[in-house]
Amino acid sequence: MAKSAGPQPKKRSGSAPSKHAPVIAENAMPEAAPAPETGPYVVGVGASAGGLEACSELLGALPQALPFALVVVQHLAADHPSILAELLTRVSAAPVRQADQGMSLEAGTIYVIPPRVQVALEKGRLNFHPRPTDSGQFYAIDYFFRSLAEAAKGQAMGVLLSGTASDGTAGLGEIRAAGGVALVQDPATAAFGGMPHSAIAAGFADFVGAPQKLAAEILRLAEHSPIDGRATADGQTTFARPDLDKVYLILRQNTGVDFSNYKLPTVSRRLHRRMVLQKTPTLREYLELLRRKPDESHALQADILIHVTRFFRDPDAFAALTKTVFPEIARHRARDVPIRIWTPGCSTGQEPYSIAIALLEWLETEGGARGSTPVQIFGTDVSEKTIEQARTGVYPESIVQDVSPERLRKFFTKSDGSYRINKAVRDCCIFARHDLTRDPPFSRIDFIACRNVLIYLDQPLQGRLLAAFHYALQPKGLLMLGAAERIGADAGLFSSVDNQARLYVRMDVSIRTGASLPRPSQAPPRAFDQALPGAGAAGRAGSMPAIDRVLLARYSPPTVVLDNEWRIIEFRG
């Protein structure tokens, strides 16, 4: 794991939460502690037009002894030497240095990037990379913020100051998703409010204020008071399950989402983060805040559900689509039979749109007579807000970092500093709010791309969702998981096709193994079946002989079992 180098401050109880690279093997039981993240906090400051004044006000409000390293990333002319470090030295009480290639970060120092390069934080060092020759591809702030999120995790703070366009927005989103904090200058105080407006509109600002207020908040976050809870060996904070149950209840009442089956470390880290931001050092105080302000429930829900998304994320996965998935699901298919794909946890839509673009390209170049085959891609997420954004199909200019110029020309329309997905791609995609833990699955699906969703859920719920995916897929249907996810050898529902790509094929377990088909009582449309008297009892009452199950599955009519309040308990057939 990448770590910030330099002097290591004394570990404090309740230090800022860390968002580690997740693994699939976690349970609701105490997990093996991940490697600790040591070293100072790292604060990244991004600025563009009008940024010198904002940076000067921010640094001028900071003390000489800083408990963190701070890196200033400003848009600089490539063909002129920079005197930014010299200018900031005049206003900063802390030492300011021009960054050099391979320089290690040390707490208490301010670093200024030079012109003509892009800078990334990698293994605690500032590494220089060539600046793109196309000025339209140059997003220095996003480039650094993304590396900061990966390297510093929960010890990262991103600060976005004055500037035009949208550089820094996507990077702030990744910092927040990694467990860090995003601070944005109040557009009313900025010489140019484009970048702050973009980050605020995207919902990526944890704190908004003038530069002096941002400085005070940075110091408070770096030196915040301890949070109640139990500190693990690596400084993580967890909370007693009875206390968490109270939080789950309030969230369920205010948002309709049940988080009781989410992994305890994930919930604890996100809860800890909200407590720090809301200045509530005890869980009792935070519970009172949740009861007084329902909006905080939605903020906590968004924090727990947040995950990084971007167009064509993980090129190896998309290579597997064109090499294996698309040829397999198109084989022996009549031209008028739609290809049906489901992307659960689609967030703001980048993944389903990316799959749609890749599939349309494949059908055009490799599909031959199948080039006119209808495409239906269902993008679902538990957050209505992200689904609404996905439906609009509008994204900031910074997507040029992930989408090739050819694809931008062919599948997007540029307008008013943003890119909009073209109608041909939008017509392939249908977006809907859907709670995997409660709502019934789709059916007759050829391919499910569920990447980086199961990692946040405990094993019993993972098993129920895999059974639901098995139910949703056609015979020989394919399932793709995230790089950190895998299906155990004893799952019995799927067989590996490409282990590196985490690609699996649906097994016909009734015929091949004699095992029972996964009943929806094992993958229920409701997560609260334990609260329904008798719900799920039929699924637990004894074992039916294997031959009877095969006969019932094959010859009995499709059936839906309801309770007396018309809630779906079970599907059959």
Side-chain angles (χ1 to χ4, degrees):
M1 177 176 294
K3 301 176 184 177
S4 302
Q8 298 179 6
K10 183 180 179 180
K11 187 175 293 182
R12 300 181 303 272
S13 174
S15 60
S18 300
K19 176 74 169 58
H20 294 273
V23 294
I24 194 65
E26 293 177 345
N27 295 326
M29 300 295 290
E31 59 179 343
E37 291 169 4
T38 59
Y41 284 89
V42 181
V43 179
V45 177
S48 183
L52 177 58
E53 179 183 357
C55 281
S56 298
E57 293 177 6
L58 176 74
L59 300 189
L62 294 174
Q64 181 177 4
L66 299 177
F68 47 77
L70 188 147
V71 181
V72 177
V73 182
Q74 183 160 10
H75 291 171
L76 301 169
D79 52 352
H80 294 287
S82 172
I83 59 170
L84 181 60
E86 179 183 341
L87 295 174
L88 295 180
T89 297
R90 300 173 185 175
V91 299
S92 172
V96 179
R97 299 181 64 180
Q98 177 98 1
D100 291 325
Q101 164 62 24
M103 180 177 283
S104 297
L105 296 186
E106 296 182 1
T109 304
I110 296 171
Y111 302 84
V112 178
I113 70 163
R116 296 183 292 277
V117 295
Q118 293 186 123
V119 178
L121 179 61
E122 298 165 340
K123 297 183 179 179
R125 297 180 181 273
L126 295 175
N127 288 329
F128 296 172
H129 299 272
R131 178 171 172 167
T133 55
D134 181 356
S135 62
Q137 300 281 329
F138 183 56
Y139 286 83
I141 302 171
D142 274 331
Y143 194 85
F144 180 75
F145 279 2
R146 283 179 170 182
S147 72
L148 175 59
E150 175 63 25
K153 302 292 192 296
Q155 292 165 281
M157 296 189 211
V159 183
L160 194 61
L161 302 177
S162 174
T164 60
S166 61
D167 192 11
T169 294
L172 282 185
E174 298 210 14
I175 287 174
R176 294 181 77 246
V181 180
L183 302 95
V184 179
Q185 182 176 2
D186 185 346
T189 70
F192 295 88
M195 293 195 323
H197 271 302
S198 175
I200 294 169
F204 293 157
D206 291 313
F207 183 87
V208 177
Q212 296 90 339
K213 290 187 177 180
L214 295 179
E217 184 67 6
I218 291 170
L219 292 170
R220 185 190 74 82
L221 291 169
E223 299 288 352
H224 67 77
S225 58
I227 298 293
D228 73 334
R230 297 171 303 192
T232 60
D234 66 333
Q236 298 288 327
T237 300
T238 60
F239 301 90
R241 188 60 190 239
D243 294 328
L244 283 176
D245 286 339
K246 297 175 184 177
V247 175
Y248 295 146
L249 177 61
I250 295 174
L251 287 176
R252 191 171 68 223
Q253 291 171 339
N254 291 342
T255 71
V257 180
D258 177 24
F259 289 104
S260 60
N261 288 310
Y262 281 64
K263 289 180 179 174
L264 184 58
T266 297
V267 175
S268 292
R269 286 193 294 266
R270 297 302 180 172
L271 177 57
H272 186 161
R273 180 181 182 278
R274 291 305 307 174
M275 290 172 65
V276 171
L277 290 172
Q278 293 298 326
K279 307 176 184 178
T280 52
T282 68
L283 187 55
R284 177 177 297 180
E285 291 175 88
Y286 187 73
L287 281 167
E288 287 301 316
L289 178 67
L290 285 174
R291 295 184 181 106
R292 292 196 321 269
K293 297 183 177 180
D295 285 350
E296 178 60 23
S297 295
H298 293 280
L300 177 58
Q301 175 203 16
D303 257 31
I304 297 174
L305 295 175
I306 193 172
H307 61 278
V308 177
T309 183
R310 65 175 76 155
F311 282 97
F312 300 100
R313 186 173 181 84
D314 188 356
D316 290 343
F318 279 88
L321 294 187
T322 56
K323 177 183 177 181
T324 304
V325 174
F326 297 158
E328 182 62 31
I329 63 179
R331 183 176 293 132
H332 308 307
R333 179 181 299 271
R335 183 181 302 182
D336 60 342
V337 176
I339 294 173
R340 291 166 59 85
I341 297 173
W342 180 19
T343 60
C346 72
S347 187
T348 46
Q350 287 92 327
E351 177 147 291
Y353 284 135
S354 297
I355 293 174
I357 290 171
L359 178 54
L360 291 175
E361 289 175 335
W362 185 87
L363 288 171
E364 181 180 350
T365 59
E366 305 290 340
R370 292 182 292 269
S372 59
T373 300
V375 175
Q376 298 174 346
I377 300 179
F378 303 97
T380 64
D381 198 276
V382 73
S383 169
E384 185 66 45
K385 182 178 179 180
T386 59
I387 285 296
E388 285 299 326
Q389 186 173 344
R391 287 183 181 130
T392 66
V394 177
Y395 299 94
E397 284 181 309
S398 57
I399 66 169
V400 301
Q401 300 171 94
D402 305 308
V403 184
S404 68
E406 180 182 355
R407 282 171 166 165
L408 287 171
R409 287 192 298 268
K410 187 172 182 179
F411 298 108
F412 294 81
T413 301
K414 188 174 182 180
S415 176
D416 298 328
S418 61
Y419 283 95
R420 180 179 177 86
I421 295 282
N422 284 351
K423 186 176 185 298
V425 181
R426 291 204 312 275
D427 286 348
C428 296
C429 300
I430 302 167
F431 293 96
R433 184 191 180 279
H434 181 275
D435 187 344
L436 277 173
T437 68
R438 299 180 57 181
D439 299 326
F442 289 79
S443 61
R444 297 182 294 110
I445 299 296
D446 298 298
F447 171 56
I448 296 175
C450 184
R451 300 198 295 159
N452 304 319
V453 174
L454 299 184
I455 51 178
Y456 299 108
L457 310 175
D458 63 23
Q459 278 196 332
L461 184 54
Q462 288 176 16
R464 298 203 326 243
L465 294 187
L466 289 173
F469 293 158
H470 185 280
Y471 170 86
L473 285 167
Q474 301 267 31
K476 307 296 184 182
L478 296 167
L479 168 67
M480 179 178 281
L481 301 179
E485 300 168 326
R486 67 183 71 236
I487 295 175
D490 59 346
L493 301 178
F494 296 91
S495 177
S496 177
V497 173
D498 184 337
N499 188 55
Q500 183 175 356
R502 298 293 188 263
L503 185 62
Y504 303 86
V505 63
R506 179 189 188 274
M507 294 178 62
D508 190 345
V509 294
S510 292
I511 295 175
R512 290 190 178 183
T513 68
S516 63
L517 286 170
R519 298 184 181 183
S521 58
Q522 294 173 311
R526 290 182 54 82
F528 311 134
D529 55 332
Q530 67 273 16
L532 304 176
R540 296 190 296 267
S543 60
M544 188 183 298
I547 187 64
D548 290 346
R549 292 177 180 173
V550 172
L551 291 173
L552 282 173
R554 180 166 296 184
Y555 298 111
S556 63
T559 305
V560 178
V561 181
L562 309 175
D563 66 8
N564 57 4
E565 296 183 5
W566 297 94
R567 293 177 294 198
I568 298 173
I569 296 175
E570 186 173 318
F571 292 91
R572 296 193 177 206

